[in-house]
Amino acid sequence: MIWHLNSCKSYREKEKGSGSMDKFLGFKGTKRSVVTKDDVHEKILQFFISGNIAFNQADNPYFRDLMELIKVGCNETITVNRDNITKRLHEKAVLSKDELMATLMSNESRISLALDCWTSRNKIATSPCITHSQFIA
């Protein structure tokens, strides 16, 4: 086996480069980049959104214990709760809205918006309604 590994070209190439586990853990060369509080909060928000997990699960004592294991900076712990996640989501929504508006304003072509609405059995509209397609220049 040692003879094979010494002569195997593909094994030696893998040994030189970083492995998939190093890439997963974020190792770049010999040192890992510093993790900040914002990085952790961003990943937590992405976790809750991607899994469609209710924000009140952030108040789960087991989840809080898990988050306390994460140390950033000078052994500073991460505090995560429903309010923190909600606040970060609102901040991201405002930034996304501003980016969308900037993208639409810089667009030189035309955009067709077609929105639909429906009514309940009581004939009450349940969403804003635009009956005709609108064109934005």
Side-chain angles (χ1 to χ4, degrees):
M1 185 63 127
I2 292 172
W3 175 81
H4 173 74
L5 293 177
N6 287 335
S7 63
C8 182
K9 184 179 177 181
S10 63
Y11 176 75
R12 285 186 294 164
E13 287 176 4
K14 285 183 183 178
E15 193 175 52
K16 290 178 188 175
S18 61
S20 59
M21 186 56 76
D22 290 340
K23 290 177 185 175
F24 174 74
L25 294 175
F27 289 112
K28 295 175 184 164
T30 58
K31 292 189 175 184
R32 198 169 97 168
S33 61
V34 177
V35 177
T36 64
K37 266 188 168 183
D38 287 336
D39 295 337
V40 174
H41 283 287
E42 181 69 25
K43 293 296 180 185
I44 290 170
L45 178 63
Q46 290 174 357
F47 169 75
F48 275 89
I49 291 172
S50 67
N52 198 21
I53 300 170
F55 289 169
N56 64 357
Q57 290 299 312
D59 295 330
N60 183 322
Y62 296 110
F63 182 76
R64 285 189 175 195
D65 289 344
L66 178 65
M67 291 299 107
E68 288 178 6
L69 295 175
I70 300 173
K71 305 287 186 204
V72 294
C74 299
N75 288 331
E76 191 176 356
T77 59
I78 302 293
T79 305
V80 178
N81 56 32
R82 178 181 42 185
D83 297 331
N84 290 350
I85 296 173
T86 304
K87 179 182 174 188
R88 183 165 284 278
L89 180 63
H90 286 298
E91 291 170 359
K92 293 292 262 184
V94 169
L95 289 174
S96 296
K97 182 180 176 184
D98 293 342
E99 289 175 5
L100 177 63
M101 290 301 290
T103 302
L104 291 175
M105 293 300 237
S106 66
N107 188 16
E108 295 177 7
S109 62
R110 300 181 80 151
I111 299 172
S112 174
L113 294 177
L115 302 176
D116 190 16
C117 73
W118 55 275
T119 58
S120 66
R121 291 182 181 176
N122 299 341
K123 304 292 183 203
I124 299 173
T126 56
S127 63
C129 179
I130 296 178
T131 54
H132 302 309
S133 295
Q134 293 184 343
F135 292 97
I136 301 173

